[in-house]
């Protein structure tokens, strides 16, 4: 055909050959990447033969993943046109090769160099060096390719110590950037910690002299095969290059790899990622210890010694006869911040029996001793878990192992979260009467998440079985059961109730029973929240919980507990209320308003904030008359997500004007919110499960002084404004309000009185309140 270049047909056949592989039914994972590489080889070789029938002094070389024969559907083709420096038409040959491949849509990484040029680049650039270690001949003079690879490999091995240092430094930078495959909601299966790049990095490190156990190599290969299956499926689902497994793609990827569902897919992926990350760290820790010339050999206890940087069982130690050696060696390793030696892990795995039921007296002290080593214990627990020792101690652990939580609120898998919570709890041991029960409560508070049903209810049942098995007495088991049952109580109440209402503290006191139980629950709440993720804990939330605990202590009869100062309204806000003037105070992550108490003022401020794209995560309101005959004043504080890239100072003046106009009734909030909703882009999901349908609950026992209404609804711009407006529309006055946003769901609680200043008891009025709030929440169906 007119205008067709001679190279168009080979390039088209190259794409057709690749498409045939990608469309072949039943081909997946490693089989697909190898077949795709072979099909690409055939097409590239044909193209090279068309372009360059005279291959003197030329070789076409595959590098990197293509060189390893591991092309995923959207992988780049990394190729090098290698020449001997004698041909004058090299650039013309390169142009004739590259352009047809670009024209048919292939992603191409390309270079044209002599052998010496490429080796000099590899000597300076670690990326080029590792890519060249995978060099594979495609076409042309094979002796050029063989010489390049041989020299590159010899140089890599000759400079092994330098290369290992460079490789380790590069990996650490990559890990910081990409995060951990096992724990991220949307993991990077290639570059993340425990990803495929770590497997490749270990192969390059071995070539440079890093020692690895032969058994680890086989285990590593199996885990890499799992990740390859996922990576291939991800490329197919996305239809483009990308290594991050996004939430919206996980169900489709699960179907392609044959997983029962996306939960199971992510659990398997987390497990494989943890295996790779553990072997990676174990291998590199041996190299780190090898760099220290002076090795200590020291007896650490009965049956335990420090040898060549690892904590080991002595030759005469017998875990079969003395199972608590497991705890002893774990404590020693944590205290020395040294790994348990692989030989000792193997001996423990072979010889350690299943623990009896119940444990003999004193055995539980060993488990507590490990947990009280705080964060130093986590890598030790990981090692014990990797060789299956934790399930011998607590069989229920298998159900939470590598179980993902699949929302942006939780940072870790369930098992790692429990370790982190226990480590945090260990740092709070001085705050409670029974630190042993605190760390055990932290270890087991979410154990129910591995089983069907409500995780708290299931956890209580499991704790009633696990506690006696550990050798604990009835009172200790009751304390742990109480902690598991109520581990969410303090944060939920602190974030959703009026702390100044006497009924709030009274209800907590009735649930926990004693000051000791309250203190343990307080410490567990802190440990749990800090282990959950950065959005689960803040100074503000800590202050709310501390105030709730202080008020509950007084309700439990602790005469030494002083009446706490309320978190809101603070003295400055009370002064502003007594002045009777409008006041708007803007801080980095909060806005506080004081205005005349008129129906709808809370809703107006909420709407004004939404117009400025401020996502309210919590809000509190307070109203009172500040003296006989004085005007009733209302105060509200709204906290919102602080965005460093959008400092509040840049638009504080405009925000203040919007709030003042809204309170003056001079702003068309409804129309403006509708305009914002039409122009707003769709928000990305932040958890696997979507929010439930909107619901409205009237909480009869939450307060003696107000009617308490709790609304749950999917978050959206302007939701708080619309709910607060609905409250005002049915003749209610908001005396207190709290807002909590958890992922895609908002939980808004309103303390209200009717127009007569009384609790709402009329069934008809309550029904209309529910109707109005459900309508505002976006669901006209009655609950």
């Amino acid at each position: 055909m007119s205008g067709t270049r001679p190279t168009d047909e080979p390039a088209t056949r190259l794409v057709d050959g690749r498409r045939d592989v990608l469309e072949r039914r039943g081909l997946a994972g490693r089989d697909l990447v190898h077949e795709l590489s072979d099909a690409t080889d055939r097409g590239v070789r044909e193209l090279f033969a068309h372009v360059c029938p005279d291959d003197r002094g030329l070789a076409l070389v595959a590098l990197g993943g293509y060189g390893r024969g591991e092309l995923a559907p959207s992988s780049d083709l990394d190729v090098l046109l290698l020449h001997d420096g004698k041909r004058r038409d090299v650039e013309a040959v390169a142009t004739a090769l590259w352009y047809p491949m670009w024209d048919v849509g292939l992603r191409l990484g390309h270079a044209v160099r002599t052998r010496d040029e490429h080796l000099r680049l590899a000597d300076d650039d670690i990326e080029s060096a590792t890519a060249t270690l995978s060099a594979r001949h495609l076409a042309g003079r094979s002796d050029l390719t063989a010489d390049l690879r041989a020299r590159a490999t010899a140089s890599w091995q000759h400079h092994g110590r330098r290369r290992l240092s460079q490789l380790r430094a590069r990996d650490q930078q990559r890990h910081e950037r990409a995060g951990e495959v096992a724990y991220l909601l949307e993991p990077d299966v290639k570059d993340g910690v425990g990803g495929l790049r770590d497997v490749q990095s270990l192969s390059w490190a071995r070539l440079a002299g890093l020692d690895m156990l032969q058994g680890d190599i086989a285990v590593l290969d199996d885990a890499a095969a799992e990740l390859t299956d996922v990576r291939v499926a991800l490329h197919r689902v996305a239809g483009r290059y990308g290594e991050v497994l996004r939430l919206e793609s996980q169900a489709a990827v699960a179907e392609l790899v044959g997983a029962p569902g996306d939960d199971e897919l992510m659990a398997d992926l987390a497990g494989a990622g943890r295996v790779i990350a553990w072997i990676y760290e174990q291998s590199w820790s041996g190299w780190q210890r090898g760099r220290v010339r002076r090795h200590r050999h020291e007896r650490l206890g009965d049956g335990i010694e420090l040898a060549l940087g690892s904590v080991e069982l002595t030759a005469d130690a017998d875990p079969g006869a003395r199972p608590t050696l497991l705890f002893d060696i774990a404590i020693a390793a944590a205290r020395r911040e040294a790994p348990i030696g692989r030989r000792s892990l193997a001996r423990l795995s072979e010889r350690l029996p299943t623990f009896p039921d119940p444990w003999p007296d004193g055995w539980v002290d060993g488990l507590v001793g490990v947990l009280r080593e705080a964060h130093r214990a986590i890598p030790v627990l990981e090692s014990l878990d990797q060789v299956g020792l934790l399930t011998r101690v607590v069989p229920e652990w298998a159900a939470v192992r590598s179980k993902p939580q699949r929302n942006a609120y939780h940072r870790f898998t369930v098992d790692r979260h429990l370790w982190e919570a226990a480590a945090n709890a260990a740092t709070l041991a001085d705050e409670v009467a029974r630190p042993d029960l605190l760390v055990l409560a932290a270890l087991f508070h979410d154990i129910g998440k591995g089983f069907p049903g409500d995780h708290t209810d299931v956890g209580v049942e499991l704790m009633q079985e696990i506690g006696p098995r550990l050798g604990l007495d009835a009172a200790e088991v009751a304390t742990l059961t109480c902690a598991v049952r109520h581990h969410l109580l303090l944060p939920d109440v602190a974030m959703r109730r009026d702390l100044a209402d006497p009924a709030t503290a009274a209800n907590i006191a009735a649930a926990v029973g004693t000051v000791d139980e309250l203190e343990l629950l307080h410490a567990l709440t802190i440990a749990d929240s800090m282990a959950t993720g950065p959005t689960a804990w803040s100074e503000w939330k800590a202050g709310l919980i501390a105030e709730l605990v202080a008020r509950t202590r007084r309700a439990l009869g602790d005469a030494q507990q002083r009446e706490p100062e309320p978190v809101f309204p603070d003295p400055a806000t009370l002064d502003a209320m007594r002045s009777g003037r409008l006041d708007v105070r803007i801080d980095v992550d909060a806005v506080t308003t004081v205005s005349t108490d008129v129906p709808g003022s809370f809703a107006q401020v909420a709407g004004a904030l939404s117009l400025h794209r401020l996502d309210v995560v919590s809000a509190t309101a307070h109203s009172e008359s500040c003296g006989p005959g004085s005007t009733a004043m209302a105060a509200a504080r709204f906290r919102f997500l602080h965005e460093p890239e959008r400092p509040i100072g840049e638009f504080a003046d405009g925000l203040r004007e919007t709030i003042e106009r809204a309170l003056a009734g001079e702003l068309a909030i409804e129309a403006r919110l509708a305009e914002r909703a039409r122009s707003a882009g769709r928000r990305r999901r932040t958890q696997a499960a979507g929010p439930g349908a909107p619901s409205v609950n009237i909480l009869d026992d939450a307060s003696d002084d107000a009617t308490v209404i709790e609304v749950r609804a999917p978050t959206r711009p302007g939701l708080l404004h619309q709910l607060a407006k609905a409250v005002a529309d049915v003749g209610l006055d908001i005396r207190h309000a709290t807002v909590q946003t958890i992922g895609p769901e908002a939980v808004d609680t309103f303390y209200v009185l009717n127009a007569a200043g009384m609790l709402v008891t009329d069934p008809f009025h309550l029904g209309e309140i529910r109707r109005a709030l459900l309508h505002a929440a976006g669901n006209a169906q009655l609950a």
Side-chain angles (χ1 to χ4, degrees), residues 472-616:
L472 302 175
D473 63 31
E476 292 167 332
V477 173
T479 295
L480 288 179
T481 301
C482 177
V484 173
R485 177 179 289 114
H486 296 307
H487 72 273
L488 297 175
L489 180 65
L490 295 181
D492 282 354
V493 171
M495 296 291 288
R496 301 175 190 173
R497 299 292 180 265
D498 181 2
L499 303 188
D501 191 316
T504 301
N507 289 337
I508 299 291
V512 299
T514 68
V515 170
D516 284 350
E517 297 272 9
L518 177 66
E519 289 177 343
L520 189 143
L521 196 61
H522 187 196
L524 175 60
T525 297
I526 296 171
D528 181 21
S529 298
M530 293 177 67
T532 297
T535 62
W537 194 243
S538 64
E539 289 186 15
W540 169 72
K541 184 174 181 180
L544 289 176
I545 292 173
E547 180 185 347
L548 175 60
V549 168
R551 291 179 181 279
T552 304
R553 288 179 70 103
R554 284 179 61 86
L556 287 167
D558 184 352
Q560 295 182 341
Q561 177 63 56
R562 297 172 56 188
E563 180 74 23
E565 290 290 334
V567 174
F568 185 82
D570 56 17
T573 302
L574 287 172
D575 287 344
M577 294 178 74
R578 295 185 186 103
S579 74
R581 294 191 300 272
L582 175 66
D583 183 63
V584 178
R585 199 163 64 242
I586 299 176
D587 299 312
V588 173
D589 62 351
V591 166
T592 305
T593 64
V594 172
S595 62
T596 303
D597 186 11
V598 296
S601 60
F602 184 92
Q604 297 297 89
V605 178
L609 295 174
S610 185
L611 290 176
H612 282 266
R613 295 184 293 112
L614 293 172
D615 290 330
V616 176

Side-chain angles (χ1 to χ4, degrees), residues 212-221 279 342:
M212 285 187 64
L213 297 179
Q214 198 62 37
D216 281 354
I217 296 171
V219 172
L220 199 65
D221 188 64
I279 292 176
R342 299 298 293 279

Side-chain angles (χ1 to χ4, degrees), residues 767-782:
E768 291 302 292
I769 293 168
R770 184 178 284 106
R771 184 184 301 274
L773 287 169
L774 283 173
H775 178 75
N779 184 356
Q781 295 181 350
L782 295 181

Side-chain angles (χ1 to χ4, degrees), residues 5-322:
R5 292 193 300 260
T7 51
D8 284 352
E9 290 185 6
T12 301
R13 284 193 291 273
L14 165 58
V15 172
D16 290 343
R18 287 169 54 88
R19 185 182 300 113
D20 289 344
V21 171
L22 294 173
E23 293 178 352
R24 197 179 307 168
R25 296 178 67 86
L27 195 61
R30 281 184 169 172
D31 291 338
L32 184 142
V33 299
H34 295 324
E35 290 278 354
L36 187 60
S37 296
D38 290 345
T40 304
D41 287 354
R42 290 190 292 271
V44 169
R45 285 168 180 153
E46 181 187 359
L47 178 62
F48 183 86
H50 273 266
V51 168
C52 190
D54 176 11
D55 64 5
R56 286 176 301 171
L58 291 177
L60 192 61
V61 184
L63 301 175
Y66 185 25
R68 293 188 299 274
E70 298 176 350
L71 280 182
S74 298
S75 294
D76 291 355
L77 306 186
D78 290 326
V79 289
L80 168 68
L81 183 60
L82 190 63
H83 64 97
D84 61 6
K86 299 177 182 178
R87 291 185 60 141
R88 297 184 177 181
D89 62 344
V90 172
E91 290 298 333
V93 171
T95 299
L97 278 172
W98 309 152
Y99 273 92
M101 288 192 275
W102 284 330
D103 288 345
V104 294
L106 293 175
R107 291 167 52 93
L108 197 63
H110 59 91
V112 180
R113 300 188 188 103
T114 65
R115 180 200 68 193
D116 291 344
E117 288 171 343
H118 191 81
L119 290 175
R120 282 196 297 271
L121 176 64
D123 187 60
D124 294 333
D125 178 47
I126 188 71
E127 296 283 353
S128 299
T130 54
T132 309
L133 294 176
S134 304
R136 181 170 59 85
H137 184 69
L138 289 174
R141 299 293 299 275
S142 60
D143 58 318
L144 292 178
T145 304
D147 182 47
L148 174 69
R149 177 156 182 166
R151 288 175 181 270
T153 302
S155 174
W156 181 267
Q157 293 174 324
H158 179 71
H159 299 289
R161 290 176 63 88
R162 175 168 66 92
R163 290 307 197 185
L164 286 173
S165 296
Q166 291 174 333
L167 200 56
R168 182 65 164 160
R170 185 187 68 169
D171 285 354
Q172 289 172 335
Q173 292 175 352
R174 171 172 55 82
H175 289 165
E176 290 176 4
R177 182 181 69 251
E180 298 174 88
V181 169
Y183 304 126
L184 287 178
L185 179 66
E186 298 180 323
D188 186 327
V189 297
K190 180 179 177 182
D191 285 338
V193 178
L196 287 166
R197 184 67 79 193
D198 279 351
V199 178
Q200 296 154 7
S201 181
L202 284 174
S203 71
W204 300 323
R206 286 179 63 210
L207 197 59
L210 184 74
D211 288 330
M212 285 187 64
L213 297 179
Q214 198 62 37
D216 281 354
I217 296 171
V219 172
L220 199 65
D221 188 64
D222 290 342
E226 285 193 55
L227 262 65
T228 300
D229 287 347
V230 172
R231 184 182 184 222
V232 167
L234 171 61
H235 282 207
R236 284 181 142 175
V237 167
R240 54 183 171 77
Y241 179 79
E243 308 296 356
V244 176
L245 181 53
R246 299 293 182 193
L247 197 59
E248 58 267 23
S249 300
Q250 289 170 10
V253 169
E255 184 177 357
L256 275 183
V257 302
D262 45 357
D263 282 343
E264 292 79 4
L265 166 75
M266 299 309 292
D268 291 344
L269 184 62
R274 284 177 64 182
V275 166
I276 293 170
W278 183 70
I279 292 176
Y280 177 95
E281 286 301 329
Q282 288 283 306
S283 302
W284 277 106
S285 68
W287 172 74
Q288 296 278 23
R289 294 194 303 275
R291 299 176 76 190
V292 180
R293 296 184 181 278
R294 183 170 58 87
H295 297 290
R296 299 179 63 185
H297 194 97
E298 180 183 349
R299 188 86 169 189
L300 300 180
D302 185 13
I304 302 170
E305 62 183 0
L306 182 68
L308 300 178
S310 296
V311 178
E312 303 280 4
L313 295 174
T314 58
D316 59 347
D318 184 3
R322 188 176 139 211

